[in-house]
Amino acid sequence: MNVLQLDVSGRPQAWLSARDAALLYATDQIAWTVGDPFMVLRGGTQRLTGLPSRLDLHPIIAVRGAMPSRAWRQQPSLSNPKLFARDRQVCAYCGQVTPWDDLTREHIHPKSRGGQDTWMNCITACRSCNGRKGSRTLQELGWSMHYLPYVPSLYEDMILRGRRIVADQMDFLLANVPAHSRLRLN
């Protein structure tokens, strides 16, 4: 399981391994935590007290100190796994839920015609629809889309990264996801 790292203001920064989170606990860099401990790390016997060492890891931790500039980025990086998750594996053209290995990144405005590789120009399409569209525009084909693209928020991006997310983490992230997000659909 991974730990969700926040800055002290509560903005998501990264997913951490248990080892990386333990280092932050051990160096007293944790400002506050959310949720009940979900993992207990045990070590050797403490030299001073003679007691066994124990570290309770919480699913969400806020870290003291400076916030890295990536936490304030305006748009999350675009990748096929995140794009397909944003679009819930639904082809924007035929509307069918499509198996992962039959999905493609489709550029609404074709790259061959100057289209950019951005969240707002990319949608999920099945191989069949992508092949039929080719390098033509929707207007040339008379096609429409079943949904519109959007740029995921920082909180949505943390969900889209495809990690195993425990309930406390998902509740925290979804509380900050916009109401119109496709991630809220059941």
Side-chain angles (χ1 to χ4, degrees):
M1 291 304 228
N2 290 299
V3 175
L4 177 60
Q5 177 187 334
L6 311 175
D7 63 24
V8 291
S9 69
R11 289 176 55 98
Q13 290 185 320
W15 289 105
L16 300 176
S17 67
R19 181 177 184 213
D20 291 338
L23 180 62
L24 293 171
Y25 276 91
T27 56
D28 197 32
Q29 294 183 48
I30 306 298
W32 47 271
T33 63
V34 175
D36 294 327
F38 73 106
M39 183 182 296
V40 177
L41 301 177
R42 299 178 196 286
T45 304
Q46 295 180 18
R47 199 177 332 171
L48 296 175
T49 65
L51 298 173
S53 63
R54 173 189 166 115
L55 189 60
D56 294 330
L57 296 183
H58 292 81
I60 303 170
I61 59 172
V63 178
R64 292 185 181 96
M67 294 167 269
S69 60
R70 73 176 187 275
W72 300 104
R73 67 186 181 272
Q74 295 299 311
Q75 289 191 11
S77 61
L78 176 62
S79 70
N80 283 353
K82 291 195 294 186
L83 177 69
F84 301 161
R86 179 199 72 177
D87 296 345
R88 302 178 67 98
Q89 293 181 244
V90 174
C91 175
Y93 299 134
C94 68
Q96 298 297 308
V97 175
T98 305
W100 191 266
D101 58 347
D102 198 33
L103 295 173
T104 63
R105 180 188 303 192
E106 165 59 14
H107 295 83
I108 301 165
H109 185 81
K111 285 183 79 172
S112 63
R113 295 185 175 193
Q116 300 296 309
D117 199 32
T118 64
W119 283 105
M120 292 303 291
N121 191 46
C122 291
I123 48 90
T124 298
C126 65
R127 290 190 191 284
S128 175
C129 287
N130 195 346
R132 281 197 313 265
K133 180 178 176 281
S135 62
R136 295 173 288 185
T137 66
L138 296 178
Q139 293 78 17
E140 290 171 345
L141 294 167
W143 286 12
S144 62
M145 295 188 300
H146 284 270
Y147 57 81
L148 296 175
Y150 69 94
V151 178
S153 71
L154 181 60
Y155 297 91
E156 288 171 297
D157 184 47
M158 297 305 284
I159 296 169
L160 293 173
R161 292 183 188 194
R163 308 283 184 178
R164 289 185 356 196
I165 301 175
V166 297
D168 288 333
Q169 294 165 339
M170 186 60 86
D171 290 344
F172 177 85
L173 293 169
L174 282 176
N176 294 286
V177 167
H180 66 273
S181 171
R182 282 195 283 277
L183 296 181
R184 290 191 169 275
L185 301 174
N186 293 328

